[in-house]
Amino acid sequence: MEGKAWQTNPSSKFPATISLTLVQTLRNNNLSPSCRVALLGATGAVGAELLELLAQRHFPLADLKLLASPRSAGTHLDFAGESLEVESVGEHSFKNIDLVFASAGASTSRAWAPQAVQAGAVVIDNSSAFRLDPHVPLVVPEVNPGALHGHRGIIANPNCTTILLCVAVWPLHRLSPIQRLVVATYQSASGAGARAMQEVKTQAQAILRGDSPPTEVFPYPLAFNLFPHNSKLNELGYCEEEMKIVHETRKIFAAPELRITATCVRVPVLRAHSEAVNVEFAEPFAVETAREVLANAPGVRLVENWQTNHFPMPLEASGQDEVLVGRIREDISRPGGLDLWLCGDQIRKGAALNAIQIAELLYPLQEDPLVSPAPSHSQGVCG
Ligand code: A2P
């Protein structure tokens, strides 16, 4: 279907009054209401994952529009066996669109998300542009799905490192409130986009040939190296990435006073982040209890084999939906403390999957009494 957006049934938009019962019935009959979706940043690393997940999870699409910069206009991407043309984002891009997944960077989101909402769409934004806006829900479905209630059209997908951290420590926070979190991250190249992933491979090949590695996306060679995250530093010496973890975790946990500090490091791994986490709780509990809680926590997979020294690894986390957690042990330096290690796919749960899970949550909100009364745009119920 060259040159056309992907459509199943363009007239399948359901009335805004569709009831929760009807949605459930449709779901039970595999006849979900359909949604006209636009991907802003379709040609990027997260865009590619969104395309894969929309097909894999049978997201109820009535229409799919691929948007990127003018550089990509006219190129084609595959979706469910069809070739779709990429369009340059413009002022008419969001007409007749119900839902936008935006992953084209903060400045692009600032420029286009308000226009998309104005045109009647709900935007799930993967950038940092609106995350700390008090009117914008910042959502990890396993943690704070209720924050979606009453959204005003833009919903923010948290920073990738924050998502992975929150999924792993929230179940423990419910057991005993966290007093302090100390996090060290080992972040993959994918967090800096598709070009950054390619750059690591190119650098590795150059080094193995004996040539000097090219550096275009990153300031320093990442292959066979690592460096502290190169986002902007503040007056206290923290970089932006570290402060995202601090502020976003507090917002997601609704714990504005939470004591949390982070050191973020970029490592030569392609697509999964790792984090070493030290947690201090209000009331100590047994390590075995933490293990049991995490073994049953949504979105978490316990990976611990103490005999073989097998614990979460970025290679094994790549392509997986769950956050892999292991090496759970008592912090011998203070009572009430716990250390753990986690790995999660940065592009998947750290970005695209979390965004799609948010979209999947939006359906039952249609008839939810907690949703604020009809604004000019839909509350995110697709179609
Ligand atoms: P393009 O490929 O046309 O540059 P990644 O995070 O993997 O680097 O991907 C970034 C995504 O954001 C790409 O799809 C890129 O499109 C898109 N993008 C970057 N700048 C803009 C812009 N100004 N307008 C629209 N899309 C943009």
Side-chain angles (χ1 to χ4, degrees):
M1 196 192 296
E2 300 232 346
K4 285 181 82 182
W6 185 87
Q7 291 192 326
T8 45
N9 177 6
S11 61
S12 66
K13 188 167 174 23
F14 279 79
T17 51
I18 186 171
S19 72
L20 178 54
T21 323
L22 177 54
V23 171
Q24 290 305 348
T25 311
L26 290 164
R27 283 186 161 178
N28 293 342
N29 293 328
N30 282 332
L31 288 168
S32 302
S34 298
C35 184
R36 298 166 299 180
V37 170
L39 295 193
L40 175 55
T43 51
V46 175
E49 196 71 12
L50 280 164
L51 276 174
E52 195 179 316
L53 285 170
L54 285 170
Q56 231 175 54
R57 294 172 76 89
H58 304 292
F59 194 82
L61 290 169
D63 191 354
L64 179 59
K65 191 184 262 195
L66 306 184
L67 302 169
S69 80
R71 292 179 290 272
S72 305
T75 60
H76 289 79
L77 294 174
D78 286 339
F79 176 74
E82 302 213 40
S83 174
L84 303 185
E85 185 171 328
V86 179
E87 297 171 33
S88 173
V89 61
E91 58 179 312
H92 302 298
S93 296
F94 305 106
K95 196 168 171 241
N96 298 326
I97 291 293
D98 302 304
L99 180 64
V100 178
F101 291 101
S103 45
S107 55
T108 307
S109 286
R110 273 190 211 100
W112 294 108
Q115 295 200 39
V117 173
Q118 192 70 30
V122 167
V123 177
I124 300 179
D125 183 34
N126 196 47
S127 83
S128 60
F130 306 102
R131 286 180 189 150
L132 298 182
D133 181 328
H135 300 301
V136 172
L138 182 66
V139 178
V140 178
E142 291 86 346
V143 177
N144 63 338
L148 283 172
H149 292 207
H151 73 78
R152 299 181 181 186
I154 299 180
I155 296 156
N157 211 34
N159 164 266
C160 45
T161 2
T162 309
I163 293 174
L164 305 177
L165 174 70
C166 287
V167 168
V169 301
W170 174 253
L172 303 174
H173 181 65
R174 295 187 71 195
L175 200 60
S176 173
I178 291 175
Q179 301 297 290
R180 184 165 180 254
L181 265 173
V182 182
V183 186
T185 72
Y186 305 67
Q187 299 185 217
S188 60
S190 56
R195 283 180 61 233
M197 295 169 79
Q198 185 52 48
E199 183 160 290
V200 185
K201 293 185 201 169
T202 312
Q203 288 176 347
Q205 286 160 348
I207 292 170
L208 290 173
R209 276 197 314 270
D211 296 337
S212 58
T215 49
E216 281 169 19
V217 181
F218 290 122
Y220 314 106
L222 186 57
F224 303 103
N225 191 24
L226 54 81
F227 45 80
H229 200 282
N230 58 297
S231 50
K232 200 168 156 221
L233 295 164
N234 71 12
E235 64 291 352
L236 296 172
Y238 280 78
C239 70
E240 263 175 6
E241 185 80 356
E242 290 159 353
M243 293 314 294
K244 283 178 189 174
I245 296 179
V246 172
H247 294 309
E248 294 180 23
T249 305
R250 286 176 176 165
K251 180 169 175 177
I252 295 160
F253 279 22
E257 307 295 327
L258 185 69
R259 288 188 296 148
I260 170 166
T261 182
T263 301
C264 292
V265 178
R266 188 75 76 188
V267 297
V269 167
L270 278 183
R271 60 173 287 160
H273 287 353
S274 305
E275 302 179 34
V277 187
N278 179 267
V279 204
E280 194 183 320
F281 298 94
E283 297 292 333
F285 51 83
V287 173
E288 210 37 60
T289 308
R291 200 164 276 130
E292 259 169 49
V293 166
L294 287 172
N296 295 302
V300 172
R301 190 185 338 146
L302 210 54
V303 176
E304 285 195 313
N305 187 328
W306 295 87
Q307 277 72 46
T308 59
N309 220 327
H310 182 196
F311 299 108
M313 285 181 270
L315 267 186
E316 289 186 356
S318 296
Q320 304 298 309
D321 287 353
E322 296 95 354
V323 178
L324 311 187
V325 181
R327 294 211 71 213
I328 305 165
R329 61 205 190 279
E330 199 181 314
D331 173 359
I332 55 169
S333 73
R334 65 167 68 227
L338 212 66
D339 280 297
L340 59 85
W341 170 253
L342 66 88
C343 296
D345 189 314
Q346 183 273 330
I347 310 179
R348 210 169 173 95
K349 182 55 186 170
L353 174 62
N354 199 73
I356 290 193
Q357 288 172 324
I358 291 173
E360 290 168 349
L361 276 177
L362 288 174
Y363 285 83
L365 283 181
Q366 174 74 13
E367 290 289 296
D368 194 308
L370 294 179
V371 174
S372 19
S376 57
H377 53 76
S378 123
Q379 272 291 330
V381 177
C382 304

